[in-house]
Amino acid sequence: MGAYLLRRLALMLPTLFGIILINFVVVQFAPGGPVEQAISELRGRGGSALERVTGSSGGEVRAADPTLRGAQGIDPAIVEEIKRAFGFDKPAHVRFWDMLKGYLRFDLGQSLFRGRPVAELVWEKLPVSVSLGLWSTLIIYLVSIPLGIRKAVRDGSRFDLWTSAVVLVGYAIPGFLFAILLVVLFAGGSFVQWFPLRGLLSSGLENASFAVRATDYLWHMVLPTLALIIGGFASLTMLTKNSFLEEINKQYVVTARAKGAGEQRVLYGHVFRNAMLLIIAGFPAAFIGILFTGALLVEIIFSLDGLGLLGFDAAIRRDYPLMFGTLYIFTLLGLVMQIVGDFTYTLVDPRIDFESRG
């Protein structure tokens, strides 16, 4: 397993490099970069905006830089000062290599518009997204796996039919729409306000006891977690059911029953390990998927300032250090979790040997 691990770790570097390079090249052709964003803000707010962006006090506003549409009417010297402040006075390939050298030291740079280190911003927002991803994934697995096994055992029964209808209806409802419904019903929208709507902890509880803060935290997590998990039951439940049905119909199960093994022994002693291989090993990937792609609208609706909202704001404002810093963290975590998923395969079924793979 050690040699396989070293091979996977060695492949992470070119994979990271390729993903960052492709996104960097694509972004260079996207209109409305950070320089144009700063110039637009300067035109809208006057000299004070320039002082905030470049640290200088503005001058006479005259001509435009023809390469920047939003710079019309701005002194070219001011435009050049903004470029220097954001590092855009250097060629693209120089900026790319400088960024990569910083990433090797886990120096993600400085946010252009927030004025704070990117690593500090990511670390600050991480607990919100991890909370959503972890609780949602755990609840989905804890409910879907027993439900899928039960549906497989009672395949074709009334229980199987009505549970399939329920989970498929939940799958058809978009998560953000269900989140809005929860806010309207239970968070002071039009009916009752049983649950809080903002953040992970109520104001004034910073110095409260651990039990009080933990209870308040769990109370804040109820509605966002429900909004995320409502559509996640269907796919995992049906995958579990189909996996068990496939294994139940195999010859080794027929043989075990013929030898007099009880149903529980057959189901959980023989079928479970083989049927759950794909499902349990997919837990890391499912967690990463919910953590980085499924929570954006839920974070916005419930006013949770997490990584999804941070990345969205960075893309809207063209905050390139923040965009590529979060991309680097997301990609690195995704690659690591893929390796964790491979190790999970060996834990579920020790017969799997990755060392024998070429």
Side-chain angles (χ1 to χ4, degrees), residues 237-253:
T237 299
M238 301 310 293
L239 177 62
T240 304
K241 175 190 173 182
N242 293 333
S243 297
F244 268 77
L245 283 177
E246 182 181 357
E247 294 297 323
I248 287 173
N249 293 323
K250 288 186 176 178
Q251 185 62 42
Y252 74 91
V253 176

Side-chain angles (χ1 to χ4, degrees), residues 60-65 71-76 79:
E60 183 180 355
V61 179
R62 296 194 307 271
D65 183 342
Q72 296 187 11
I74 304 295
D75 190 333
V79 175

